[in-house]
Every structure is written in structure tokens, then in C-alpha cells.
Amino acid sequence: MKRKLFHLLLAAALLPLAGFAKPGFTMWQLFSQVNTIGNSYVFLTDKGRVVVMDGGMNDEALYLKGFIAALGNEVEAWILSHPHNDHVGALTEILKKPDGMKINKVYYSRFSDALVGLEQPYDQYAREFYDELDKSGIETVNLTEPGLTVRIDGLNFKILGVTNEELTMNPYNNSSMIVRVWDKDKSFVFLGDAGVECGDKVLNGPYRDDLNCDYLQMAHHGQRGCSEEFYKSIKFRACLWPTPSWVWNNDAGAGINTAHLKTFDTRRWMDEIGIKEHHVSWQGLTKIE
Ligand SMILES: [Fe+2]
């Protein structure tokens, strides 16, 4: 009897080492490192593979590098919403100096040269990023249509929206790739910096039902992104805010809600919908498993 108990205890002690991770994946919303608008999410699958969404600003590259190194320093899939520097800046720095990090595949929806040229001075960051990506030799998947579904261990993702070359108002943000990520217990939708038109296109398209989720990333850092109607037309129960304190508080230095940002409108909509769970990147690291 004692011997049986000993073996039971031994098995329990070794269980974590044997790779019996929870099915599905763990997701982190990274802590905003420079109190600016970096958009950065990391996933770890039940079999230990890493997926990254965007990655944040150039000066958040070291933090991101450390985070990924601690998970094995190999990224199976890197998904990019759009080439603004608060989304691809950190990856641009990593591509310049990978320090041993292995990236197996990049999923993105590449802007045409004409679309890249529509925003100055951001075009220089986009061009630099595309140059570094091309030089890296990393395998890329360039999505020109939504609908692709990919499974990596217990993690699934689906592309709900891609580059919208016809939307020339707010052009970079309105060409944000919109992505659903899920396992059998939880689901996320990442809106990138989608503007009203970009969000409405998916809302009125064939993947509308895929927008319903547990955790919704607030578009464009929580202000001037998708419309009130968009948020009130889909179902979700918690918000991910890739949002620094000054955007969260609409405070350019003169006090709370004294600047020109629209974050308090979005926060009010969430209250009206009845959302109680908020994860805000300036308040710390969020881990969801
Ligand atoms: Fe952004």
C-alpha cells in the first residue's frame, strides 16, 4: 500500500515535467514597456510552440526578445496586423539582430507600394520592415483573401479580414488584418487598428459570426477604431486593451479626459454592453490560459 502511494506521489511530482500542459494554449498580452501604443501578444501551445501577434514598438524589442527566449527562442508563426511601427517595430529590430531567435513563418497581408505611400512619415517604417523581412529569407504567407484557418497543436487561428486597398481614408489602420484565435475553451479576436470601415467590412461579410468571442482586442488601442455599432453588434465578454495610461485616461499632461482622444467613448460603450473584465496593457502583464 505504501509502495503504491509512493508511486502515486512520484507520478504527481513528475507530471509538469512530462509535458502534460493544459490543452489549447496560454496567451499573454505584454506589459507596455515604454508607455506607448505597442501592440503585442504571445501564445504558447500545449506542445510548447510559440505564436506571436504583432510584437510592439522598436524600443520594446529587447523585452520581447527576452520573453520569447524564455519560451525556447523559436517562433512557429508570427502574425502581423499591419506595418505601423507600433505593431512591427519590435520585429523589425529582431530581424536586424535575431540573436539566435528562429522564426519559422510570418503570416501577413502585404500592402501594395501604392498603399504604403499613402501615409507619411509611417511609410519609411513600413518599407524598412518589408526590406528586413525580404532579406531574412523567412517563409511568408501573404494573405490576399480572408478565410485561411491554421492549426498549431491546440491553437487555431483564422484570418477574418485582410488588406483593403480600396479604403484610402485612414489607409494603414483600415488595412489591418483581423484574426480569430481559439482553442476548445476560449476564443479571441484581434482587431489590430481596424477603423470603422475595416470593421464594418468584416461585420457585413461571410465571417461575421467568427467575430463573436470571449476576449476582444479593442481596435486602434481602444479609441477611434471600430464603431459603436460594431461593438454592440457582436458578442464578447472581456476586453484586451493594448493601451498606454495616457490613452486610457485621455491625458496629454493636463489631467484625466482633457485631451482629444476618444477612449472614454469606447469605455462607456463597454459599460453599456455590460463588460466587467478588462485587461489593459499599461496596468501589467495579462496571462490567460
Ligand atoms: Fe497601432
Side-chain angles (χ1 to χ4, degrees):
M1 192 61 193
K2 263 186 185 166
R3 198 182 167 88
K4 209 170 179 182
L5 186 65
F6 171 77
H7 281 290
L8 260 174
L9 289 172
L10 186 68
L14 290 177
L15 211 58
L17 302 175
F20 286 85
K22 273 179 96 171
F25 62 86
T26 301
M27 189 231 60
W28 292 272
Q29 175 177 260
L30 268 56
F31 184 25
S32 174
Q33 290 302 293
V34 286
N35 204 22
T36 187
I37 50 174
N39 190 85
S40 190
Y41 297 89
V42 175
F43 307 81
L44 182 68
T45 73
D46 45 10
K47 299 232 168 67
R49 290 202 282 182
V50 174
V51 174
V52 181
M53 170 78 64
D54 285 347
M57 306 277 298
N58 300 64
D59 44 8
E60 294 176 304
L62 258 183
Y63 174 64
L64 182 62
K65 265 183 176 175
F67 204 96
I68 293 170
L71 298 174
N73 221 19
E74 180 170 351
V75 176
E76 186 59 30
W78 202 308
I79 307 165
L80 297 166
S81 63
H82 67 299
H84 267 145
N85 55 318
D86 54 315
H87 298 255
V88 302
L91 178 56
T92 304
E93 298 306 317
I94 288 170
L95 293 172
K96 286 183 202 166
K97 196 168 174 294
D99 287 332
M101 187 193 300
K102 188 161 181 260
I103 302 169
N104 295 329
K105 209 179 271 191
V106 168
Y107 293 82
Y108 72 149
S109 186
R110 190 165 180 134
F111 285 17
S112 69
D113 282 344
L115 181 51
V116 169
L118 288 180
E119 282 196 16
Q120 275 104 41
Y122 299 110
D123 61 325
Q124 62 183 303
Y125 301 110
R127 288 185 214 284
E128 184 186 21
F129 167 66
Y130 286 145
D131 284 349
E132 293 297 335
L133 183 63
D134 292 345
K135 276 193 295 188
S136 73
I138 294 167
E139 184 181 349
T140 59
V141 178
N142 180 15
L143 285 313
T144 55
E145 296 285 337
L148 178 75
T149 300
V150 175
R151 183 179 176 94
I152 299 172
D153 306 326
L155 177 150
N156 308 274
F157 69 86
K158 182 176 182 181
I159 309 300
L160 309 184
V162 297
T163 300
N164 301 305
E165 296 269 339
E166 78 283 8
L167 300 178
T168 51
M169 288 282 286
N170 191 15
Y172 277 35
N173 292 341
N174 265 329
S175 274
S176 290
M177 211 160 72
I178 295 180
V179 184
R180 177 181 179 81
V181 183
W182 76 97
D183 63 20
K184 67 181 190 48
D185 298 319
K186 58 190 178 295
S187 56
F188 297 75
V189 169
F190 294 89
L191 296 171
D193 282 356
V196 171
E197 297 80 4
C198 177
D200 286 353
K201 191 169 166 179
V202 178
L203 189 65
N204 298 317
Y207 302 113
R208 178 192 176 104
D209 291 346
D210 290 308
L211 291 169
N212 298 323
C213 59
D214 297 312
Y215 299 91
L216 182 66
Q217 177 240 308
M218 299 286 96
H220 194 230
H221 314 276
Q223 63 94 39
R224 285 204 177 98
C226 294
S227 65
E228 178 178 3
E229 191 203 342
F230 175 92
Y231 287 117
K232 291 185 173 176
S233 299
I234 63 174
K235 293 191 183 73
F236 56 100
R237 67 170 184 78
C239 297
L240 300 174
W241 299 78
T243 307
S245 58
W246 52 274
V247 175
W248 178 253
N249 290 321
N250 184 29
D251 181 359
I256 290 178
N257 211 10
T258 56
H260 62 285
L261 302 170
K262 300 292 184 191
T263 329
F264 276 85
D265 289 349
T266 316
R267 289 172 63 176
R268 190 185 71 247
W269 302 340
M270 296 307 118
D271 287 344
E272 288 167 1
I273 293 168
I275 305 292
K276 299 276 190 287
E277 188 178 333
H278 297 279
H279 303 276
V280 192
S281 68
W282 73 268
Q283 296 174 343
L285 179 71
T286 293
K287 179 184 183 185
I288 295 168
E289 50 187 358

